[in-house]
Amino acid sequence: MKNTLTVVCCLCLCSISVLAQKKPAKEPAMSDQNFINFAAQTDMVEANLGQLAQTAAGSQQVKDYAQMLVTDHTSDFNQLSGVARQAGLSVPSAIDAKHNKTIGSFDKLQGDAFDRRYIEDMIAGHTKGIAIYRKEAAEAQTPALKSYAEHALPVLEKHLSAAKKLGMARI
């Protein structure tokens, strides 16, 4: 019995050291082309939703926020296009089906219902986008894309902060 207990304890100790050595799998880096696709789709969707907000939003603050997004994401799309050209990568010129469906889900919303959904989506989208841009700024294969992502981050953080303030004002 004593020998069995000793063997079990040894096996447990050996298992712990093996488990401790195992590192969690790191999510693979996004390719530069995939990042460009993501960033371009984001810019186009944000600009389109911002334009839709000009007629569908109920609050002037939401309309002002949306106009800021139209301006900033249109400018960003132009910067992204230049960087992509330099890197020999392509930029999508149209919104894909998945993102068109997202935009379409806003079509029937008006006033407060639009405002609530828009702000929720802007908080979630910018939170996700910031994480992806940070990863690209750290791991991009192309130096120009790394620099682009670094310079875009403060604008995205400004958008997230403003969306959160609008969300808090609505509570």
Side-chain angles (χ1 to χ4, degrees):
M1 178 72 171
K2 194 175 184 182
N3 286 341
T4 306
L5 185 57
T6 303
V7 170
V8 170
C9 287
C10 286
L11 286 173
C12 286
L13 288 173
C14 290
S15 298
I16 290 171
S17 67
V18 169
L19 290 174
Q21 290 174 4
K22 215 173 198 184
K23 293 181 180 175
K26 186 179 178 187
E27 192 174 311
M30 184 181 275
S31 75
D32 285 350
Q33 183 62 61
N34 286 343
F35 174 74
I36 287 175
N37 294 344
F38 169 81
Q41 290 297 323
T42 299
D43 284 338
M44 290 186 286
V45 168
E46 300 284 334
N48 274 275
L49 284 175
Q51 290 170 343
L52 179 60
Q54 298 309 309
T55 57
S59 159
Q60 186 59 47
Q61 291 94 340
V62 171
K63 290 179 183 187
D64 293 344
Y65 173 79
Q67 185 56 54
M68 174 181 65
L69 294 188
V70 170
T71 301
D72 290 351
H73 282 284
T74 300
S75 173
D76 189 76
F77 184 82
N78 292 330
Q79 290 173 7
L80 178 68
S81 297
V83 170
R85 265 192 306 281
Q86 284 178 347
L89 300 167
S90 62
V91 178
S93 59
I95 298 172
D96 63 24
K98 173 186 165 193
H99 290 95
N100 265 326
K101 187 175 179 180
T102 299
I103 293 170
S105 70
F106 281 88
D107 284 342
K108 295 201 179 347
L109 299 175
Q110 292 287 318
D112 284 344
F114 180 92
D115 293 357
R116 272 190 306 279
R117 169 81 189 283
Y118 181 68
I119 294 304
E120 287 171 5
D121 276 28
M122 293 304 103
I123 291 170
H126 282 88
T127 300
K128 176 184 175 187
I130 288 168
I132 291 171
Y133 272 70
R134 280 191 181 132
K135 192 168 179 74
E136 187 70 8
E139 300 176 8
Q141 294 89 24
T142 306
L145 269 179
K146 186 177 271 209
S147 177
Y148 157 80
E150 289 169 353
H151 287 91
L153 273 167
V155 176
L156 295 175
E157 289 166 347
K158 173 184 81 170
H159 294 171
L160 177 59
S161 176
K164 285 180 175 179
K165 284 179 186 168
L166 280 172
M168 291 304 291
R170 301 192 55 75
I171 293 175

